[in-house]
Amino acid sequence: LAKTTQPISMDSYEGQEVNITCSHNNIATNDYITWYQQFPSQGPRFIIQGYKTKVTNEVASLFIPADRKSSTLSLPRVSLSDTAVYYCLVDSGGGADGLTFGKGTHLIIQP
Amino acid sequence: GAVVSQHPSRVICKSGTSVKIECRSLDFQATTMFWYRQFPKQSLMLMATSNEGSKATYEQGVEKDKFLINHASLTLSTLTVTSAHPEDSSFYICSARVAGVSSYEQYFGPGTRLTVT
């Protein structure tokens, strides 16, 4: 079971780029890395998923080094509405193995 | 696409009663659904894995007789909290994986806030 470690909290300002790094030292060969965003009293929302190198979509980029022991979620030009908790999840697919959420990173965006 | 709903969104019940929470995949079939519990300012904790047509698999420390899970169809899983106590008050969230593909994505429901008085 791949355990993840993230900073508990981060602060930034509107318009800045924010990078949140997650460590997952014992990631397995068939594991994918997924990042979720959660607002209070809501279910997590899928942001991005990747296996290696770089993945980009309309809201974020995900950087994964060759050893895959960490990953970095990059949010370009954040706004106040990006204030939320961000979780990285190492997922082996299929059943419940690998569905242990870490503590998440509470990102606070200030004006 | 890939929308998961939960019903109810909020429920208040008296101690000792039972409460049923429904989780539905609205536009896809889900072979596997997961139930999580989240206490205030804490992370999600996986309670059980629900597979269509078979018994649920519970995580260590989760009482299967107290949290009854039924996955009767490819679009519906239910969680019943039996003989609820105030300490069962929490935010319950379900998620689903798309059936038929090697899927690494979970689609989460909006959550159900349970308050036991």
Side-chain angles (χ1 to χ4, degrees):
Chain A
L1 213 64
K3 181 179 176 181
T4 60
T5 304
Q6 305 172 232
I8 295 296
S9 65
M10 292 180 68
D11 294 302
S12 190
Y13 295 90
E14 283 192 292
Q16 299 295 306
E17 177 185 80
V18 171
N19 296 309
I20 306 174
T21 297
C22 178
S23 297
H24 28 79
N25 290 319
N26 56 342
I27 189 169
T29 303
N30 59 344
D31 288 341
Y32 274 70
I33 300 152
T34 311
W35 283 81
Y36 295 91
Q37 177 192 56
Q38 187 182 30
F39 297 111
S41 297
Q42 294 186 26
R45 183 178 75 96
F46 172 88
I47 301 174
I48 198 166
Q49 183 179 78
Y51 184 80
K52 62 180 180 180
T53 63
K54 178 182 175 181
V55 180
T56 298
N57 62 21
E58 61 275 9
V59 298
S61 295
L62 178 59
F63 299 92
I64 305 169
D67 65 5
R68 304 201 326 121
K69 293 183 184 296
S70 67
S71 59
T72 299
L73 172 72
S74 181
L75 304 173
R77 297 179 300 281
V78 293
S79 63
L80 295 176
S81 62
D82 292 317
T83 294
V85 178
Y86 292 81
Y87 295 98
C88 75
L89 181 68
V90 174
D91 194 345
S92 58
D97 289 350
L99 291 183
T100 301
F101 276 81
K103 297 183 185 301
T105 297
H106 187 193
L107 176 64
I108 299 172
I109 306 300
Q110 301 182 45
Chain B
V3 178
V4 175
S5 70
Q6 284 185 238
H7 178 79
S9 57
R10 287 178 179 273
V11 58
I12 301 172
C13 70
K14 292 185 183 294
S15 187
T17 62
S18 295
V19 174
K20 180 185 285 189
I21 302 170
E22 292 186 349
C23 176
R24 292 182 185 272
S25 56
L26 297 185
D27 51 2
F28 66 99
Q29 294 185 327
T31 310
T32 303
M33 289 184 171
F34 304 99
W35 286 96
Y36 295 84
R37 181 167 52 181
Q38 187 175 35
F39 293 107
K41 297 192 183 301
Q42 294 189 22
S43 184
L44 286 80
M45 183 184 75
L46 180 67
M47 298 175 66
T49 302
S50 168
N51 292 296
E52 186 266 338
S54 64
K55 290 184 178 180
T57 303
Y58 291 82
E59 295 300 300
Q60 193 173 8
V62 177
E63 300 174 59
K64 63 180 180 181
D65 294 330
K66 180 171 183 60
F67 298 99
L68 302 179
I69 292 172
N70 184 18
H71 194 153
S73 77
L74 285 172
T75 59
L76 174 64
S77 177
T78 60
L79 168 68
T80 301
V81 183
T82 63
S83 187
H85 290 282
E87 55 264 32
D88 298 323
S89 298
S90 188
F91 192 54
Y92 291 87
I93 308 169
C94 72
S95 70
R97 290 203 198 273
V98 179
V101 297
S102 178
S103 174
Y104 286 80
E105 285 189 32
Q106 295 181 71
Y107 300 99
F108 284 86
T112 297
R113 175 75 60 192
L114 170 63
T115 303
V116 184
T117 61

